[in-house]
Amino acid sequence: MGPDPAPPPATVRGRLAWTVRDGLVLVRRELARLARDPGRAAGELAFPVLMVLLFGYVFGGAMRVPGGGDYRQYLIPGVFAMTAMSAVLITASAVAADVGRGVMDRFRSMPMARSAVPFGHTASCLVTGLMSLGLMTLCALALGWRARHGPGETAAGFGVLILFRYAMGWLGVLLGLAFRNEETADRFVPLVFPVSLISDSYVPAGAMPAWLRVVAEWNPVSAVTGACRALFGDPALPGPGAAPPLRHPVAAALLWSAVLIAVCAPLAVRRFGSRAR
Amino acid sequence: MSGGRRVDGPAVRAEALTRRFGSTHALRGLDLEIPAGTVCGVLGPNGAGKTTAVRVLATLLRPDSGRAWIDGHDVVRDAARARRRLGLAGQFAAVDEQLTGRANLRMFAELHHLGRAAARRRADDLLGRFGLEDAAGRTVSTYSGGMRRRLDVAASLIVSPAVLFLDEPTTGLDPRGRAEVWAAVRDLAAGGTSVLLTTQYLDEADRLADAIVVIDRGRAVATGTPERLKAACGAAEHADVVVPAGADPDAVRRALRSATGAEPVMGSTAGPGGGLRLSVSTRGDPAALARVVRELDAAGVPIEGLTVRRPTLDDVFLHVTGLPAAGAGNEPAGGTREGIG
C-alpha cells in the first residue's frame, strides 16, 4: 500500500506554494527531457546562433542601413527578438504533445495545482530561452556587436526580450491546448517565420510597400527589436513618419508583452482545467 | 491507511450519467456501483461509452446530467478530493516517453506532494513491485508494450487510490504483454484495490473481474458475475468440427449429438479445403471433447479440424441486446480515441 495523499492546502498562500512547487517539478522534467534529446537541445540552442551567423554574413555584406551604420549591429537585436518570438513554437509543440499523448490527462486526473502545468511549460521555456540568449550574445560579441549604452540600459534591453519570450510562451501554451496534438502544432511552424520577417527587424520597415509597412510597424517583433536597439544604443532610425510603436518602442514592447500575458495566461489556465471534452 | 479513506460505501457510484457530443449520445443514463475492494469489468464494443464513462468518473469530463462519486466525493462538485482518491491508467493517462521509468515515477510522486525523499522511495518501491528495476534507468520509448503499461499502472498507484481506472489496459498488446498486465491487476485486486477495468474482450473481464457491467449505447444493459452472465447466455465453450466434404452430414450430427447432448449447428462457412464445418456446445463438460473424437471415429468420419471456441463478446451481446455487437468483431487498432470511444 502506498502513502496517503497529502491534504490539499487550505490557505491561498499554501495553494500558491503548491503551484510553484508543481511548476518547478515540471520545469525539471522539461530540462531532463532536453538533456535526453540532444537533437532537440541542439535545435533550440543552435538555431538562433545560426540565424545570427546567416544574417550577419550572408546578407550582412549586401545590406545598407539607411543613414549609415553597421548592418550586424543593426541586425543583432532583430535576431534576439525573433528568437524570443520562437517561444510560441516551443511551448505550443510541447503542450500539444502532452495533450496528444495523454500525459496531460494524467496531470489533470491528479491532485495537482490546476495552473502548475501551464506555468511549468512557460517557465521551462524561459530557462531554455535564457540559455539560447546567452549563447547568441556570445556569438554576437564575437561578431563585433556591442551594447553601446550603460549596463543598466543593456540589462533593461535583455529584460524586455525575456519578458516578451515569456509572453509568447503563454500564447504557445494556449495554442498547444487548442491544437491537441503534435502534428497540428507542427503545421503551424511555417507561419511563424514570415511573421517575424515582416517586421522592422532585418530591414527598415520604411523600405516596404505602404500596406506591408503598416503590418511591419505594428508587429510586436518590431517593437521588441526597436526597444532593444534603443536600449543597446544601436542604430534605431525610426523615420519621423513612423508609426507610434516604433517611435516609443520600449513602451510598445512592454505593452505587447503585458497584454499577451494578461489575455493568454487566464485563458490557458482555464482551458487546461476545462472539462468540456 | 486513514487519510480520508472511507471503508463503508462503494468505491465508485454513478447515477444516471448522461453526456452528449454534438448529436452523439455517448452516455444515456449510466448507473454503476463498484463495491470497495472489487474488480469491475466494464464490457462493451467501440463506441458503447466505456471511455466517456471513465473520463467522467476520473474528473476529466463533466457529465451533462447525473452524478458520480469516488469514495464518496462528488466528481463534479468536489473534484479536488475525488482526484486524491483515484488512479487512472490505460488508453489515456500516459507516461513521458522521453524520460526514464524512474524519472517518470519520481516526477508523478513529487506531483502528488510526497516530498523529494519520499518520492524517491516510492518510485523505487513501485519499480520493484512491477518488475521494472532493471529497466528503471532506460528511456520509456525503449520499453515493450507490456512494460509501458505496467509503468503506467505503477504511476497511477503513487498514493493508494480508492479506485484504479484501467481503460482498455491490454488493447494493442501482444499475448505476453497482456499476461503481464493481467498479473499486475490480479496482484492489485489481491491487495484490496478496487479496480474499474474497461475492455472489449469477454475473456479479459472473465479472468479479472468480480462483476461485469455490459454497456451498450451509453447504458448498462446487463450486470452480474462473469459466471452468471455467461450462464445466462448459454455461453459455454463451443467445439467447431471440420469433416471432409463427402461425409454424411446426418451421421456427423448424430455423433455430435450423442457426444455432447446438444444440437449441432451447420456452420455458414466451409472449412479449409471445402470441408463441412459444424459447431456444437460442450455444455461446460470437459469430457465432451474426448467423446466427440470417439463418436466421430466410431462413425467412421475422419476429422480434418477440431477447435474449441470460447464464448465471444458477440454471444453475450446477442443474448443481452438481441443485436450483434456493433464493431465488436473488429480488432481494435487504437482507433477508439475519436469521439465517444
Side-chain angles (χ1 to χ4, degrees), chain A residues 261-277:
Chain A
I261 293 174
V263 172
C264 297
L267 285 178
V269 170
R270 196 187 134 114
R271 194 169 174 120
F272 174 77
S274 161
R275 294 208 252 164
R277 50 176 163 178

Side-chain angles (χ1 to χ4, degrees), chain A residues 194-253:
Chain A
V195 170
S196 70
L197 278 181
I198 304 171
S199 72
D200 201 36
S201 304
Y202 304 98
V203 292
M208 299 176 190
W211 60 274
L212 201 58
R213 180 178 165 176
V214 175
V215 178
E217 286 182 335
W218 287 88
N219 188 336
V221 180
S222 299
V224 174
T225 305
C228 288
R229 285 183 187 140
L231 292 165
F232 294 153
D234 292 327
L237 311 166
L246 291 194
R247 279 185 278 120
H248 310 284
V250 178

Side-chain angles (χ1 to χ4, degrees), chain B residues 27 81 91 117 146 148-149 203 231 252:
Chain B
L27 295 178
R81 282 209 176 72
Q91 249 192 134
R148 261 194 56 118
R149 297 285 166 98
D203 67 328
V252 178

Side-chain angles (χ1 to χ4, degrees), chain B residues 280-306:
Chain B
V280 66
S281 168
T282 60
R283 302 178 60 171
D285 180 0
L289 217 54
R291 285 201 301 274
V292 165
V293 175
R294 277 202 305 272
E295 292 281 346
L296 285 171
D297 201 34
V301 179
I303 301 174
E304 285 189 342
L306 175 59

Side-chain angles (χ1 to χ4, degrees), chain B residues 81-102:
Chain B
R81 282 209 176 72
R83 280 183 196 120
R84 295 173 60 222
R85 310 297 299 129
L86 68 89
L88 176 63
Q91 249 192 134
F92 286 93
V95 288
D96 191 322
E97 295 263 337
Q98 285 169 291
L99 296 181
T100 64
R102 180 179 284 120

Side-chain angles (χ1 to χ4, degrees), chain B residues 58-73:
Chain B
T59 78
L60 296 178
L61 195 65
R62 189 185 296 274
D64 293 333
S65 68
R67 294 185 72 187
W69 297 264
I70 301 295
D71 200 26
H73 304 297

